[in-house]
Amino acid sequence: MDLSTFKKVGKQNQVRFDDLGKISYQKAWDLQQDLLKKTVNIKIANRNILHGPKHKIPHHFLFCEHPHVYTLGRSGSLDHLLLNEKELEEKSATFYKINRGGDITYHGPGQIVGYPILDLD
């Protein structure tokens, strides 16, 4: 997408801002996992560079809007989801158990969600 921009955060680091538009939760999650994997691979490669410049670690901030979706974090309880499968289907909502912290979260049309993928070292 051509809607991305870069902002300085310190002497050398930049954050890439990407507007993903309306995107399914699964596609946004897959993109986050892909960016994280690439970041980890660069960090591993940098450990093997003894002399000379190291590869820059990219920083990302993804913005998007999701169709109706409920997510359940690791510390959440399925009992806190107040809709059954039929009600989810009637609302055209999806549900995901994911590996983030927290409990039930809802995202939907009109709500802008931001996902930072930053190297905090």
Side-chain angles (χ1 to χ4, degrees), residues 66-101:
H66 295 301
H68 300 287
V69 62
Y70 295 85
T71 62
L72 177 65
R74 290 186 312 262
S75 58
S77 170
L78 191 54
D79 293 335
H80 296 163
L81 179 62
L82 302 178
L83 302 171
N84 61 36
E85 283 187 46
K86 182 180 178 193
E87 292 168 316
L88 284 170
E89 189 176 309
E90 288 171 358
K91 294 181 181 289
S92 298
T94 54
F95 173 77
Y96 294 93
K97 280 185 162 183
I98 57 172
N99 67 356
R100 66 159 170 77

